[in-house]
Amino acid sequence: MMTPVPRAARRRAEADTAVPPSADCIADSAGGLTFDVTDTGEPGDAHLVLRRRGGREEVRLPLTPVGDGRLRAALPSSVPLPEGRWDAYAQVAGGEPHRLVPGVNDLRSLVARVPSGALGRVAVRIPYASGFPAPPGREGVSPRHGRLTVRSWLRAPHAEAVELGCGERDLGVRGRVYGVGLTPDAYAEVCHRDAAGPPVRAEVAVDQHEFRCTVAYEALRPGVWDLWLRPTGESGPRVRVARLLDDIADKKTVLLHPRTTVRTPHGPLVAGPYYTGDNDVSVTLAPAD
């Protein structure tokens, strides 16, 4: 005699085996995104919904039929998308929103992107596959699919780290600024993240919109140091140096840089740069042992 399966268990099993709708993404060089979503066939007006993690912000974009069983939504660069991670959903006629699975991401226009910065800011949106939290009662179970998330940055102005040069005693940085001009008074500073005290200043060489600076490791004590740029000197804006203008949403575990052991007044330290979870440039120094 077969034991009947409880209705709630059947619903969970059906949800686990159901194929969620997917979305292909195309990025343009201006910072906009186009989403092509699988048409589930449900009647009613459809929307692509972006929800910001850790907040209540929501952006709704109309989904319109484009043939071949697809619906399309556009997120132009002119639509503000505050900095953060935005999870993508499809919602039809006020029903329950369905989390989207990433399809094909065409991000070729983001590689070596050079925005104009004419508006005084730089908008960056990179779609990627993120983990999906398990439903109640199924914590610890790996999801069958990644879920579509958009990582957004909105920097005004912006200092882009074009190249990091890891020397035996220092870090060389070549970058470019957007939304503000560089003056002869420009300089860089590195600030200890956890300890009080004045920042360490580094001189900057200016070439139109590009800058170069060198951070000497021996001038830093152990800990994590964040890199900033003062493009017009002390009286102007203070701009975090970051690398945003490519197609990599999370660089921390992808773009790794060599470490070097240096002798400092605090003893031998292992030093080197890294990208934070926000793709900002920082330097870490730790005891060599």
Side-chain angles (χ1 to χ4, degrees):
M1 179 177 179
M2 295 182 62
T3 303
V5 179
R7 184 178 300 174
R10 288 202 305 270
R11 285 200 299 265
R12 286 198 300 269
E14 290 170 358
D16 288 344
T17 57
V19 178
S22 66
D24 297 337
C25 294
I26 301 176
D28 63 49
S29 59
L33 290 175
T34 300
F35 303 85
D36 281 354
V37 179
T38 305
D39 189 350
T40 61
E42 299 176 66
D45 295 334
H47 288 83
L48 186 138
V49 182
L50 297 174
R51 291 179 177 172
R52 188 182 182 188
R53 291 185 189 174
R56 296 183 178 180
E57 297 102 325
E58 184 176 278
V59 174
R60 300 179 64 86
L61 305 170
L63 282 164
T64 57
V66 291
D68 297 326
R70 309 292 283 177
L71 303 171
R72 179 168 294 171
L75 176 67
S77 59
S78 58
V79 173
L81 196 65
E83 190 160 324
R85 299 179 189 269
W86 297 75
D87 295 326
Y89 300 79
Q91 186 176 27
V92 179
E96 286 295 319
H98 299 288
R99 194 77 160 82
L100 288 171
V101 171
V104 177
N105 287 339
D106 185 352
L107 308 181
R108 289 173 293 179
S109 65
L110 300 183
V111 179
R113 177 185 168 209
V114 182
S116 68
L119 299 178
R121 59 177 173 82
V122 169
V124 178
R125 291 89 177 261
I126 304 178
Y128 71 99
S130 68
F132 187 59
R138 291 183 60 80
E139 290 82 2
V141 179
S142 297
R144 293 172 58 88
H145 307 279
R147 295 298 190 263
L148 179 63
T149 299
V150 176
R151 183 67 172 94
S152 173
W153 289 268
L154 191 61
R155 299 287 174 95
H158 171 54
E160 176 74 4
V162 177
E163 182 181 6
L164 300 182
C166 302
E168 293 183 357
R169 298 184 178 182
D170 51 39
L171 169 66
V173 180
R174 179 172 68 88
R176 184 179 177 88
V177 296
Y178 299 89
V180 66
L182 285 165
T183 73
D185 295 327
Y187 65 91
E189 58 186 24
V190 284
C191 304
H192 199 288
R193 186 177 300 175
D194 302 319
V200 175
R201 180 165 169 165
E203 298 303 317
V204 163
V206 174
D207 183 6
Q208 296 184 349
H209 294 287
E210 289 201 355
F211 66 92
R212 293 178 181 269
C213 67
T214 300
V215 177
Y217 293 139
E218 65 179 3
L220 309 179
R221 61 185 183 276
V224 177
W225 296 76
D226 299 326
L227 180 61
W228 298 78
L229 180 70
R230 294 276 195 176
T232 60
E234 188 173 356
S235 61
R238 185 169 177 261
V239 186
R240 190 72 164 93
V241 180
R243 180 170 176 177
L244 308 179
L245 301 178
D246 56 26
D247 60 346
I248 304 174
D250 290 298
K251 299 177 177 63
K252 188 172 183 178
T253 59
V254 177
L255 300 182
L256 304 179
H257 294 84
R259 304 289 176 87
T260 183
T261 300
V262 293
R263 295 190 177 277
T264 75
H266 306 280
L269 300 176
V270 177
Y274 77 100
Y275 291 106
T276 70
D278 291 326
N279 291 351
D280 298 323
V281 177
S282 293
V283 177
T284 180
L285 291 95
D289 58 357

